Amino acid sequence: MANMVMINGDTRKFTLSPDLKLYALIDAGFVKTVKGNFNYEHPLYNDSPYNAPTKLKMTINKEMTRLTMVVTDRNGLQKVNIFKNKQLAPTVELLNYILKDLEERKIIVAVKD
């Protein structure tokens, strides 16, 4: 886990919002783990979420100070770079929508260089 993360292939960097609240995590769909961390998984799909080739996975630690963010394959085991393939443009668009939603909920913020 880190203070600042980049998704594989993306040029943007993200960090946790200083205004992060527990209820915002729950409202956004984060699930508390046995160890107290907060996990978020969202399939990145075009037609059906059940056939999604990739998914966005995020974890925020229980102190809400560090996070991980990665796009993985369907099984969640391998990192995937959705930015290299032009056919995955709709997937990138959906990822951008999810990230914008998480920013509006004050969960993450984009880091300016």
Side-chain angles (χ1 to χ4, degrees), residues 2-3 24 32 37-38 45 47 51 53-54 56-57 62 65-66 68 76 84 90 92 97 99 102 113:
N3 287 337
K32 195 170 188 178
N37 297 330
F38 298 93
Y45 57 89
D47 302 321
N51 297 330
T54 57
L56 171 67
K57 291 175 74 173
K62 60 184 171 187
T65 56
R66 298 190 177 279
T68 62
K84 336 188 258 200
V92 173
Y97 176 80
L99 294 175
L102 293 173
D113 287 335

Side-chain angles (χ1 to χ4, degrees), residues 67-108:
L67 80 152
T68 62
M69 189 183 325
V70 65
V71 174
T72 66
D73 62 0
R74 179 178 298 148
N75 300 326
L77 302 174
Q78 303 246 334
K79 287 183 181 180
V80 176
N81 184 346
I82 60 173
F83 296 93
K84 336 188 258 200
N85 189 338
K86 295 220 185 292
Q87 291 177 335
L88 293 176
T91 304
V92 173
E93 193 175 314
L94 179 60
L95 174 67
N96 290 336
Y97 176 80
I98 294 167
L99 294 175
K100 183 176 179 242
D101 181 55
L102 293 173
E103 283 187 81
E104 288 173 357
R105 292 175 185 260
K106 297 184 177 167
I107 294 173
I108 60 171

